[in-house]
Every structure is written in structure tokens, then in C-alpha cells.
Amino acid sequence: MSYFVDKKGYYGEFGGAFIPEMLYPNVKELEDNYLKIMQEPDFQKEFQELLKEYVGRPTPLYFAKRLSEKYNTKIYLKREDLCHTGAHKVNNTIGQILVAKKLGKSRVIAETGAGQHGVATATVCALMGIECVVYMGEVDIARQAPNVARMKMLGAKVVPALSGSRTLKDATNEAIRDWINNPVNTHYIIGSVVGPHPYPDMVARFQSVISEEIKKQLLEKEHTENPDYVIACVGGGSNAAGAFYHYLDEDNVKLIAVEAAGLGINSGESAATSVLGKEGIIHGSKTLLMQSKDGQITEPYSISAGLDYPGIGPLHAHLYKSKRAEFISITDAEAMDAGLELCQLEGIIPAIESAHALAVFKMKKFKKSDVVVLNLSGRGDKDLDTYVKYFKL
Ligand SMILES: *Cc1c(COP(=O)(O)O)cnc(C)c1O
């Protein structure tokens, strides 16, 4: 049994491409070409060069000595927070902008909730001189002013989504509408391992550089490529997919996916999709999502904007259902404390998303001899306001 995508775009019972007929040609073009393009030597050369020279890869695999002493186990942090733009998302947008160029596209669209994916997309569009339109809910535009400013500085056009709850899912609807109307010249950059096949697989492959590097770095430091555990937070699931990728079929490496419990799993204010979710279709793929009895998507909540997503990618739904990965939910309060703890033990200010993963050390006991790799998905600069208000600093 393999945990990778099958030929039809499924992970077990999850995945597929449930899209309106009008979108079929766009998705088909991508499906027919993405693997071919990604395997071309000149694509790989340009991708690898940009990861090195522009993103700053490989990111360090840092042995966190004081954190390890505190929890009496061996903790390594994979420092995606040191990527250009401050998180892992750029690994994917660099890959997709190169795919867009190979497909002859002159225009890129994206949707964004917290604005992080919008910034990562606007960044690579500026890098390549490609027109960029980012759809964002009107409510999110008001909540995420610094990221809106960043996108504008980078030359992107930010278009408010004015329908529904005026948040991420409405922005997604607008982006899909745009793509239907501009099938020839436009590429739609999706920011996580979500959406219709082939997006989840394509994004996972671009992010898989994370576990590719972990293997090499761990071999140097621990004389084995395989840790006992890999831990990562899950919004849509792209940083986790990247950190898990080369370990998916290695049974001796345990995988831990961390979701946001918000104010508590049963509080009605949460984003713990695996526990609370039911099978359904969101953004064109069959997966687990939070929904009402009559199938309407429930508005998620988390203090961390990046984990505030009502679904998870189909790979993760499969990892949950098959029990290949252990899923742990972490509340706002637990995450905030873990974030502050990393600052004071290691001198690293983590993104609040990543702080959810760090909170696992309080929930679960590891053996002294265990080698635990935690994917530190991003840095906390963007979250300073939230930290300051929360801790009354
Ligand atoms: C967006 C984001 C996440 C969540 O997205 P995934 O696709 O689940 O990785 C996690 N951490 C940071 C820092 C982010 O910006």
C-alpha cells in the first residue's frame, strides 16, 4: 500500500477533480503537462537554482538543545521560517510560476485568506514580471492590512470578494470564476495541497524539498535518514505534506499532524477539521471538511490565520482515515504558550501556525532517545501584534 496519489488523482477514497464543466479544459491542460514539465532538465535547473539563490535553501536542520533538554528528547527544527518571505509557501509558488511560464501563461491569479499565499504569489510574479491578481475577502482585507500592503508593494492587484461571508471561500469562488473566463492566458496558483487533482500532488511535490533536505541533513547529524517522528501543523496541509513526503511509505517514521482547536474542539470556534469534519467536496476535491447538517461549509476559527481553513487536503484526509498519521488538536492558548516558550528557550520567534506544532511537546511524551523533527513552517514577525495583545507585552 502506498500513500502517494494514484493515477486517477486519489488518495484512498479522497481527492479527484470535482469541477464545473467550464473549468475542465484548464485543469486538464495542467494534469496532462505538470509531470512532464517538472521532469524537464531545464525546469529542474531553474527551480533548483531559484530555491538556492532566491529562497535561500537548503534551510538549516537545527538541533534545539534547550528545548530538547526541557522535554527530555532530541528535537530538530527544520527552519522553513528562514525562507525568503518568511515561510514555506514560496517553495510552491516558485514551482508553479515556472510551470505557468512553460505553459505560456502571461497572467497569474490566486486567492488568499490571511494574505500569506497572496504575498508568496505576488513575490514570484514580481520576480518573473508576470501580471498578478489576488482575490481576497473584504473582511480579510480589513483584518490583514500589512499583507495587503505587501502585495500592493510587489505590484499585485488585490480584488475584494464581496459575496457570502467575504472570507477565503468567497475569494476562492471569485478566483475560479476568473479562471473560467480566462482559460488561455491565466494560471491559477493554489497555495496548499488542496483543490482538484493535480494540485494536491503538484504542491506536495514542490514542498517535498523539505523532507528531501531533512533526509540528507539527518544522515549527517544522526547517521540515519529517518527520524522517529516528524511533526507539522496543518492548515490545508502543504508544509506537512512537504515534511512527510519522503517518509510517507516508511512505516518506521511516525507522522504527527497538528490542527488548530481554536477555543476548544467542542466550542464551535475551531478549525480541527479531521475530528469535526465529514466527507464532502470543497475546492474541487473530495476530502474532510467542516460543514453543517445540510452540507454548508462552516466558518472555521483559529487565532492563527494560516490554520483557519474549513477543510484539509485529500492526502491528509487519507492519512487520518488510514491512521498513518496521528492527528493532534491544539488550542489557541496552548499554541501561544508554546510560541513564547520557543522565543525564550531558543531565541526563535515562530509563526503562530508553527507554534501549534510546538505545543505537541506538552501533550505527548517522547523517549529520551527519540529523534523528533518538527517543521517550523514560518517566522512570527507577521504575528507580533497578536502576540503583543495576547500576552499584554
Ligand atoms: C499558510 C501557513 C501554514 C498553513 O498552510 P499549510 O498549507 O497547511 O502548510 C502554516 N504555517 C505558516 C507559517 C503559514 O504561513
Side-chain angles (χ1 to χ4, degrees):
M1 179 167 160
S2 169
Y3 291 91
F4 293 95
V5 75
D6 69 18
K7 285 210 169 59
K8 292 184 170 145
Y10 278 82
Y11 302 86
E13 60 186 295
F14 300 107
F18 298 81
I19 49 171
E21 195 182 327
M22 310 262 284
L23 213 54
Y24 183 77
N26 312 33
V27 174
K28 183 83 169 94
E29 181 187 30
L30 198 59
E31 189 190 348
D32 287 346
N33 290 292
Y34 81 108
L35 288 176
K36 228 181 330 187
I37 289 173
M38 286 174 70
Q39 280 153 14
E40 284 168 15
D42 64 326
F43 175 95
Q44 274 304 323
K45 183 165 177 286
E46 197 174 1
F47 182 52
Q48 297 304 335
E49 225 163 75
L50 284 170
L51 288 182
K52 178 162 180 270
E53 304 293 340
Y54 188 71
V55 176
R57 305 203 71 93
T59 59
L61 183 69
Y62 165 70
F63 176 63
K65 184 161 174 284
R66 298 215 318 135
L67 192 67
S68 297
E69 276 164 10
K70 166 131 198 206
Y71 291 103
N72 204 27
T73 188
K74 268 186 159 171
I75 303 170
Y76 285 90
L77 302 177
K78 181 58 174 162
R79 299 289 308 275
E80 293 302 292
D81 59 313
L82 296 177
C83 289
H84 174 48
T85 71
H88 66 289
K89 285 196 174 71
V90 71
N91 302 326
N92 167 49
T93 56
I94 287 271
Q96 283 202 50
I97 200 79
L98 295 179
V99 169
K101 279 207 323 185
K102 290 274 181 196
L103 290 172
K105 309 289 178 182
S106 58
R107 180 173 177 269
V108 156
I109 57 170
E111 89 289 330
T112 195
Q116 294 301 108
H117 173 56
V119 170
T121 302
T123 298
V124 299
C125 286
L127 178 68
M128 296 295 168
I130 287 183
E131 182 189 348
C132 180
V133 177
V134 180
Y135 290 93
M136 190 168 184
E138 196 182 32
V139 169
D140 290 333
I141 288 180
R143 284 196 291 208
Q144 309 289 345
N147 276 339
V148 176
R150 285 185 186 105
M151 286 183 263
K152 289 183 175 166
M153 289 280 296
L154 293 161
K157 186 173 165 205
V158 181
V159 178
L162 305 171
S163 65
S165 55
R166 293 171 294 147
T167 57
L168 179 61
K169 70 178 162 52
D170 312 292
T172 303
N173 292 339
E174 294 297 329
I176 289 173
R177 203 162 299 151
D178 180 315
W179 207 22
I180 288 172
N181 290 329
N182 299 284
V184 178
N185 71 342
T186 297
H187 176 67
Y188 178 17
I189 298 191
I190 292 184
S192 190
V193 285
V194 301
H197 178 68
Y199 279 102
D201 183 50
M202 179 169 66
V203 176
R205 284 171 189 263
F206 287 138
Q207 293 292 359
S208 73
V209 64
I210 298 173
S211 47
E212 190 184 317
E213 288 175 5
I214 294 173
K215 282 200 157 192
K216 284 190 200 134
Q217 292 167 321
L218 214 53
L219 188 61
E220 244 170 54
K221 291 169 202 278
E222 292 286 339
H223 310 292
T224 167
E225 291 187 333
N226 292 1
D228 296 287
Y229 291 89
V230 182
I231 306 177
C233 65
V234 172
S238 69
N239 87 85
F244 294 170
Y245 195 85
H246 292 287
Y247 297 118
L248 284 172
D249 288 351
E250 308 234 12
D251 291 342
N252 58 343
V253 179
K254 298 179 202 85
L255 309 176
I256 300 179
V258 185
E259 291 186 313
L263 301 182
I265 288 177
N266 298 314
S267 66
E269 297 288 332
S270 133
T273 310
S274 63
V275 190
L276 297 171
K278 298 266 178 314
E279 258 175 43
I281 288 167
I282 183 170
H283 300 166
S285 103
K286 186 171 159 203
T287 186
L288 294 171
L289 61 131
M290 304 199 310
Q291 51 189 314
S292 66
K293 277 200 194 75
D294 44 358
Q296 293 298 305
I297 295 167
T298 316
E299 202 63 30
Y301 164 80
S302 163
I303 194 166
S304 134
L307 301 185
D308 185 346
Y309 180 72
I312 44 173
L315 163 65
H316 296 289
H318 184 48
L319 294 178
Y320 175 75
K321 263 285 174 75
S322 64
K323 301 197 161 65
R324 171 68 184 93
E326 178 183 359
F327 279 67
I328 295 179
S329 312
I330 294 296
T331 63
D332 287 359
E334 291 160 346
M336 295 304 275
D337 287 345
L340 189 60
E341 181 179 77
L342 189 73
C343 298
Q344 297 179 353
L345 283 179
E346 297 289 348
I348 298 170
I349 303 175
I352 299 175
E353 291 86 354
S354 321
H356 282 72
L358 290 160
V360 162
F361 294 112
K362 279 224 162 41
M363 306 283 286
K364 186 178 169 82
K365 197 133 178 54
F366 297 90
K367 291 199 293 249
K368 188 166 174 55
S369 60
D370 280 339
V371 172
V372 182
V373 173
L374 184 142
N375 198 41
L376 202 73
S377 56
R379 58 178 173 246
D381 308 36
K382 69 183 178 62
D383 297 318
L384 280 190
D385 255 13
T386 313
Y387 278 126
V388 164
K389 281 199 191 106
Y390 185 88
F391 290 112
K392 305 191 172 60
L393 299 171

